[in-house]
Amino acid sequence: MYSLSLNKAYSTPHSKVESRASERHTRRVSTHMGTLPSRARRALQNINISGVKLFFRTYLGEPFLAVPHIQVRDISEVNWRALRDAGFQGCVFDKDNTLTLPYALEVHDPLRASLDDCRDVFEGRLAILSNSAGLKQYDPQGSLAAALERALRIPVLLHGSKKPAGTRAELEDHFGVPAHKLIMIGDRYFTDVVYGNLHGMLTIRPAPFTDDGETFVVKKVRQLEDSTINRWRRTGIRAAEHPLVPSAFSAFVKSSAI
């Protein structure tokens, strides 16, 4: 887990001011689970060069890659048993605004029952693929991934590339099945959804819970994503067909949510 350290070798008035400012910053980014990533690390997390390249590939030539097969308010609307019965064998989750509030280390309360149900239905075959925890650039020692695993009781995949880049190798090694038998669940169209669709997964996009705690850049990117996907849908662009789901996807959404 990351924390801020103070240099106590100096006792000048200037250093005391810096110390008090650092302490205030530490309090702002801390929760009862521990100290969250610093602003510098958050900024690093937002740099996604491969994502920019794939954005232009998607935007200019393959827009269907960014369109999810299923869209829900949150994962409580997903019928996990129907997905298992259709032949899917595991679930891959994004973290922020999918399972947790941004930068938090605990499951968002309204989702606990659904996540427990998912864990039972798939007999624990769940994993988290995050653009922060487990990413070598952002979490080189794996300490954030380890903390997240302890907090959420879900394995965090270690990987070298930010979504939507990266291969399916980590997924298939972890689950022992082809990627098309896995489900990708995440709130970001041009990262989570594109990654899942690139590798033939079923993609589920829950709406984000909040933009509180997100950076200015992330908020603006979300606005661009939403407007782009809405425009594409109006022109009839849909997600690619999935080999395990030849018909409508509505069976995978609980009837109370339709």
Side-chain angles (χ1 to χ4, degrees), residues 100-159:
T100 75
L101 294 172
Y103 303 104
L105 289 178
E106 58 183 8
V107 176
H108 190 40
D109 280 339
L111 307 183
R112 290 182 185 278
S114 179
L115 183 60
D116 288 343
D117 185 35
C118 179
R119 187 182 282 112
D120 291 342
V121 166
F122 288 99
E123 299 179 344
R125 295 190 295 272
L126 279 60
I128 291 174
L129 184 63
S130 169
N131 274 358
S132 54
L135 178 66
K136 291 179 182 178
Q137 174 192 6
Y138 182 78
D139 184 25
Q141 305 303 319
S143 56
L144 188 57
L148 187 58
E149 285 189 0
R150 289 192 299 270
L152 301 187
R153 297 185 297 121
I154 301 174
V156 177
L157 298 179
L158 304 179
H159 54 292

Side-chain angles (χ1 to χ4, degrees), residues 4-5 17 31 127 133 135 142 151 153 170 185 192 198 225 232 239 243:
L4 299 174
S5 61
V17 170
T31 68
L135 178 66
R153 297 185 297 121
E170 294 94 348
I185 305 107
D192 305 313
L198 275 171
E225 289 184 352
W232 284 345

Side-chain angles (χ1 to χ4, degrees), residues 43-63:
L44 180 62
Q45 181 184 355
N46 292 329
I47 300 172
N48 192 345
I49 301 302
S50 60
V52 172
K53 293 178 181 178
L54 278 167
F55 170 84
F56 284 108
R57 169 183 166 180
T58 302
Y59 190 87
L60 297 175
E62 299 174 287

Side-chain angles (χ1 to χ4, degrees), residues 230-248:
N230 288 336
R231 185 173 70 253
W232 284 345
R233 280 186 168 137
R234 287 195 298 270
T235 64
I237 294 173
R238 297 290 182 266
E241 292 185 3
H242 193 281
L244 295 183
V245 190
S247 57

Side-chain angles (χ1 to χ4, degrees), residues 70-85:
I70 300 169
Q71 185 141 332
V72 291
R73 182 192 61 195
D74 58 51
I75 66 167
S76 69
E77 295 184 345
V78 178
N79 188 332
W80 303 114
R81 283 171 174 75
L83 288 164
R84 178 201 59 195
D85 294 344

